[in-house]
Amino acid sequence: MTDSSTNPAAFSAIPVQRPREQVESQLRRAILDGSIVEGERLPSEHALAQSFNVSRATIREALRSLVEAGLLAKGPGTTSGLYVESVDHNALSRVVSERLTNILDLGSVTAEEVATFRDLLEVPSARLAATHRDQRHLEQLREIIDEERGTTFDDPIVPVLNARFHSEVANASGNRVLAAFVSALHRTAHPLAFVNTDEELGRVAVTHHIDLYRAIESADPDEAVTVMRSHLDYLRSHAAASGASAAR
């Protein structure tokens, strides 16, 4: 006689979520599917606790996890509440930048390590930009260069413009993950912030940016790579020379 009972091995246990996990997963799903839209303010902890029928401590744990994931952010002021962040590559960039800044502050990694990793991404970024850029990217790059040409080398905005230029090159690459990391790394460790800027540096750096723009405009990936490498090598050697001068 054949045993018609079901094989127990065909089933698997479904883990029961803790209250905090239930709250977190439902809020996460609501944010990702657009039920709660970007910029919307969440209800208070008290209101959420009543809605989910859990304690405020449980709500607080769930919200803390979503803040750490970059889905929620605190508004200005101490009592403004939490707001939904954008869920795209720009959000990824912000999270990476914030985490790296904290790690740098703790001393777990050095600014040199961050800078080296950033440089590793810059060359392929330039190559891809020459292949995938569109008119909008070219206009943005021209606008930044025009601002750089009208700025003196000692203006505090110089590192900001440099970061914007490199971030826009990464945007032109067509790879949003690459763009997110390049932007985050520039915000975390501005290359020019660790270099003694002088008139020569300002002039040469802008010249390199113009040459890189022309290579990208001409859709010449090999030339874009050559210019970017020259630019990074120059900044590195200038920084080394500045350090040696300061040590003497």
Side-chain angles (χ1 to χ4, degrees), residues 92-150:
L92 171 62
S93 181
R94 285 195 301 272
V95 171
V96 171
S97 180
E98 290 168 4
R99 296 295 185 275
L100 267 179
T101 298
N102 292 336
I103 292 171
L104 279 169
D105 289 342
L106 290 171
S108 300
V109 299
T110 65
E112 178 60 28
E113 288 175 294
V114 175
T116 299
F117 180 56
R118 183 193 61 237
D119 288 356
L120 290 174
L121 300 180
E122 295 276 23
V123 172
S125 173
R127 177 181 291 281
L128 289 170
T131 304
H132 298 290
R133 91 291 183 277
D134 59 26
Q135 190 59 37
R136 176 175 53 87
H137 298 127
L138 295 175
E139 290 172 357
Q140 287 292 322
L141 290 172
R142 278 200 305 268
E143 181 180 312
I144 296 168
I145 289 173
D146 287 342
E147 289 187 59
E148 289 180 319
R149 295 174 72 173

Side-chain angles (χ1 to χ4, degrees), residues 174-210:
N175 187 309
R176 286 171 289 190
V177 176
L178 176 61
F181 273 86
V182 169
S183 178
L185 292 165
H186 270 277
R187 282 203 303 270
T188 304
H190 289 298
L192 300 189
F194 301 98
V195 178
N196 289 332
T197 55
D198 54 30
E199 190 170 357
E200 179 201 342
L201 175 74
R203 177 177 53 78
V204 174
V206 174
T207 299
H208 286 165
H209 284 183
I210 293 172

Side-chain angles (χ1 to χ4, degrees), residues 23-38 40 42 66 69-72 84-89 91-92:
V23 172
E24 180 185 340
S25 64
Q26 290 187 63
L27 287 175
R28 182 187 296 270
R29 186 164 57 250
I31 293 170
L32 295 178
D33 68 16
S35 299
I36 308 176
V37 299
E38 177 186 345
E40 184 174 342
L42 285 189
L66 293 171
L71 297 177
L72 296 175
V84 176
E85 286 277 53
S86 61
V87 186
D88 57 12
H89 69 289
L92 171 62

